[in-house]
Amino acid sequence: MTLAATDTPLVASHDAVLLDLDGVVYRGGEAVPGAVEALGEVSEARLAYLTNNANRPPEAVADHLARLGLAPSIEDIVTSAQAIAGVMSHDLAPGAVVLAVGGDGLREALRARGLVPTDDRHAAGLAAVVQGYTPDLGWRDLAEAAYAVQSGLPWYASNTDLTIPTAEGIAPGNGALVHAVRLATGQEPVVAGKPYAPLFEETMERLAPTSPLMVGDRLDTDILGARRAGVTSLFVLTGVNTLTDVVNAVADERPDFVGADLAALHDPHPAVVVSGGAAECGGARVELRDRTLSVVTKGTSTETLRAIVGLGWACRAESDVRLSVDETIDA
């Protein structure tokens, strides 16, 4: 596999840009530097915001984005809570009572689909248990979920991201909490968030785009999910995964495009030319030296990143040896 290329600004080839939030648009409460400005320059493509974080309802997410300087509509925001509620509404009878282990975003999504969330594991007619992220979740909540799953109830989860980027660093995500219940029960949940299909299906149903572009910071959710859904992807270096991770990624987790941040939407992405142990892209040149990718000449940020990744993938196609990067681009 090689990186895709375009001689025109990347966003010009797409009618919808599907944006992950945590680590792409913001970290915690603060915008990623340059993100709001880059998105404000998008004029032709529709912006949609896809989040695996099930804690907040779409209205709260929209308010957060508005405070940062963006102006999304509620319909532009698609959460994993909405996606899993949609799955459950197909599986369960209307008005089914479900044990909801999560935040307001999960509960509101369930109600919107005609389901009845409860905190009581002993509620009459309990039909299922669903788990979503909230920072207030405690041991007792996880234990109640585990007891409900052990009783034979179907188990659903909004997403399984092991970590979540915050303003202070990388913190445990919903996947870590789901794993705790998995360890206690030996069962596997039905999952809606990236990389699974339901979140993408919900988005495509709303937007009906002809040439969407998914932008993400995680290879195992954003990029893998886009590849499974047949959606072109752009990886940015503002969140969880690193440039070294991209160079060493397995085929299913390799993005079509790479960029330092959302400004890469407005860059052309020239072809990478690999020759022997070197690669050139625009004004950038990178060489392989003792399993290390070394930047010899920097071009633009996007050109240099593309040369690094292009050479790395070419070298790993010949020998599946983990490579390192001795010089990266400041995001």
Side-chain angles (χ1 to χ4, degrees):
M1 176 182 171
T2 60
L3 288 166
T6 175
D7 294 330
T8 58
L10 177 58
V11 71
S13 301
H14 301 277
D15 63 348
V17 180
L18 317 181
L19 295 144
D20 178 58
L21 286 173
D22 293 306
V24 173
V25 179
Y26 54 63
R27 300 188 197 102
E30 301 300 319
V32 169
V36 173
E37 293 79 4
L39 295 178
E41 294 174 8
V42 176
S43 58
E44 299 299 326
R46 180 175 177 181
L47 301 179
Y49 302 88
L50 282 64
T51 178
N52 269 6
N53 190 330
N55 185 42
R56 298 185 297 174
E59 293 80 4
V61 176
D63 287 345
H64 182 182
L65 293 174
R67 290 195 301 273
L68 299 180
L70 298 168
S73 72
I74 299 301
E75 284 299 305
D76 293 332
I77 296 165
V78 190
T79 73
S80 63
Q82 293 174 314
I84 197 61
V87 172
M88 295 174 71
S89 70
H90 286 97
D91 293 350
L92 306 175
V97 178
V98 299
L99 179 65
V101 180
D104 290 341
L106 180 62
R107 297 169 193 280
E108 290 192 16
L110 292 169
R111 293 188 188 99
R113 291 286 188 162
L115 302 173
V116 180
T118 181
D119 295 323
D120 183 4
R121 178 170 56 90
H122 302 288
L126 193 64
V129 55
V130 58
Q131 195 171 343
Y133 173 78
T134 174
D136 300 321
L137 207 66
W139 180 90
R140 178 61 61 186
D141 302 299
L142 297 178
E144 290 294 298
Y147 301 149
V149 173
Q150 290 173 52
S151 74
L153 291 176
W155 178 28
Y156 299 84
S158 62
N159 67 296
T160 51
D161 299 44
L162 291 175
T163 59
I164 183 170
T166 73
E168 297 184 60
I170 304 299
N174 194 54
L177 306 176
V178 168
H179 189 55
V181 176
R182 182 187 289 117
L183 289 173
T185 64
Q187 302 299 312
E188 291 289 336
V190 175
V191 185
K194 298 166 291 185
Y196 298 95
L199 187 62
F200 287 94
E201 292 170 348
E202 177 96 9
T203 304
M204 298 305 164
E205 184 176 332
R206 289 192 202 179
L207 273 64
T210 59
S211 56
L213 174 71
M214 177 70 211
V215 186
D217 67 304
R218 294 185 67 113
L219 300 176
D220 62 346
T221 57
D222 304 320
I223 305 306
L224 176 58
R227 185 159 297 283
R228 288 177 174 177
V231 174
T232 301
S233 63
L234 166 66
F235 171 83
V236 291
L237 282 165
T238 50
V240 171
N241 283 124
T242 66
L243 183 57
T244 299
D245 293 334
V246 180
V247 166
N248 293 286
V250 297
D252 285 348
E253 295 181 1
R254 291 180 176 181
D256 297 289
F257 297 92
V258 294
D261 52 32
L262 287 174
L265 288 170
H266 304 289
D267 290 341
H269 290 245
V272 179
V273 179
V274 178
S275 178
E280 295 183 351
C281 180
R285 179 177 175 84
V286 175
E287 296 179 358
L288 179 66
R289 301 171 179 173
D290 298 324
R291 299 182 183 179
T292 299
L293 300 166
S294 299
V295 177
V296 177
T297 306
K298 286 186 178 182
T300 66
S301 171
T302 293
E303 290 170 351
T304 307
L305 289 174
R306 288 176 60 80
I308 292 170
V309 173
L311 179 58
W313 288 358
C315 292
R316 283 181 55 79
E318 297 179 1
S319 176
D320 191 21
V321 175
R322 185 171 179 83
L323 303 175
S324 61
V325 180
D326 75 346
E327 185 174 354
T328 59
I329 303 304
D330 293 332

